[in-house]
Amino acid sequence: MNENADLFQESLHIAFIGFGLIGGSIAKGFRRQKLPVHLLAYARHREVLETARADGVIDEILDSASDERLRRCDFIFLCTPVADAARYMAQIKPLMKPGCLLTDVGSTKAEIHRAAEALDLSGCFVGGHPMAGSEKSGYAYATDHLAENAYYVLTPSANVPPDQIERLRRLILTLGAIVLILDYEKHDYVVAAISHLPHIIASSLVNLVKDCDDTQHTMKTVAAGGFKDITRIASSSPVMWQQICLTNQAPIEKVLRDYILSLNSTLGSIQNQEEENLYRLFDEAREYRDSIPDASMGPLKKDFSVYCDIVDESGAIATIATILASHQINIKNIGIIHNREFEEGVLKVEFYDQEAADLAAGWLTRFQYRLYKR
């Protein structure tokens, strides 16, 4: 029996307040699954909503966050910056019918939970964080599979009935996401370590190299491979990450202090030529990093790529492209990368989803190509 049968006994009305990358992707995900849903959306830039309606993604455009049509909704997704959430929640509250659930998609949870409690919404608010994204922002980059195979964390307020949490959980499962339910304070500490700190490190490292570079831009010229890989996330929205640092201050402070201590320890090991400590640093990091499952989807952009060793001769890339095209496998991007992680330069072939990457790996292996894992 379909566990969602009773959830969709009749068409659900779902509203989005804010309609950028995440809101647009969730809406497209519902459409992809052909769910019996009626989707409404409000955003500051109406042209975005006109495009979404023309695309068939939404059914109605809301005129404001206090539009009377919100009274019909079973779920409301708040997809605004965390700093604006409390203001929108106050507008939405009077329009929520009994049984309507309010959720959000912000990457920090403490502030919005405090706002929900202050507005007496703790019986109908469930925090949400789809741990998937992109360096890009806006509806133009929304995809119908953004949440697929990614963790989607739910942080229920204290007074939300269990059956209501279950309703939202099952709705999110239709996106192909992996639902994880956490206390909001634990959530904020976890993402401070595995998402927020890496963004701070990446941005700081890029700025360090910029400041250390010479007038001929030698560092910038040769920066490729490993440097570009580990600093890719520095291309993310500065406004978003400014807000994240301000709204998740205490957990970020804690992990940043711990990281600074570890860097100072490493500096001491280098200064004192402590061979054993330096070896342990790299060995333990390699072992832990290699233990992370390939299928694990964190808050960083998913990368569906195959890394292939090829001979340096004319037509080598074209041959691989022909093999994949002949088996109806679409390539998103392709190019040579040079990285110390590999013995030599390799061909990186990027795909739109994991299924295509797996198919490509299978066919390239059959044709005796050597593939690398990352």
Side-chain angles (χ1 to χ4, degrees), residues 212-251:
C212 291
D213 210 353
D214 57 30
T215 55
Q216 288 76 42
H217 303 295
T218 304
M219 291 183 181
K220 183 178 181 180
T221 301
V222 302
F227 181 80
K228 293 193 74 174
D229 282 351
I230 65 174
T231 60
R232 169 179 53 80
I233 51 180
S235 296
S236 300
S237 164
V239 173
M240 180 180 74
W241 284 100
Q242 174 200 53
Q243 292 301 310
I244 285 172
C245 288
L246 295 175
T247 57
N248 202 29
Q249 181 181 348

Side-chain angles (χ1 to χ4, degrees), residues 57-176:
V57 175
I58 62 173
D59 299 293
E60 294 184 60
I61 296 174
L62 299 173
D63 295 323
S64 69
S66 55
D67 193 301
E68 287 291 320
R69 285 171 287 179
L70 287 174
R71 297 186 186 277
R72 310 198 311 251
C73 292
D74 302 285
F75 297 93
I76 300 175
F77 283 79
L78 188 57
C79 304
T80 66
V82 175
D84 300 328
R87 174 168 56 89
Y88 283 113
M89 291 171 81
Q91 296 177 53
I92 294 166
K93 179 186 174 181
L95 303 169
M96 294 177 62
K97 69 179 184 181
C100 176
L101 269 182
L102 176 63
T103 186
D104 80 313
V105 298
S107 59
T108 61
K109 301 267 71 82
E111 186 169 307
I112 196 165
H113 271 274
R114 286 194 290 266
E117 187 173 347
L119 290 165
D120 196 25
L121 288 169
S122 58
C124 56
F125 175 73
V126 178
H129 179 198
M131 299 183 74
S134 167
E135 300 84 46
K136 306 297 183 181
S137 60
Y139 173 75
Y141 297 98
T143 71
D144 62 8
H145 56 275
L146 187 75
E148 194 172 69
N149 297 320
Y151 284 105
Y152 197 121
V153 180
L154 297 180
T155 60
S157 293
N159 299 322
V160 179
D163 62 323
Q164 289 287 74
I165 300 171
E166 179 63 10
R167 286 180 67 230
L168 180 58
R169 186 187 75 87
R170 284 156 56 195
L171 179 65
I172 298 304
L173 285 175
T174 65
L175 299 172

Side-chain angles (χ1 to χ4, degrees), residues 172-187:
I172 298 304
L173 285 175
T174 65
L175 299 172
I178 304 165
V179 178
L180 185 64
I181 297 178
L182 293 177
D183 169 82
Y184 71 85
E185 291 180 333
K186 182 174 183 179
H187 164 276

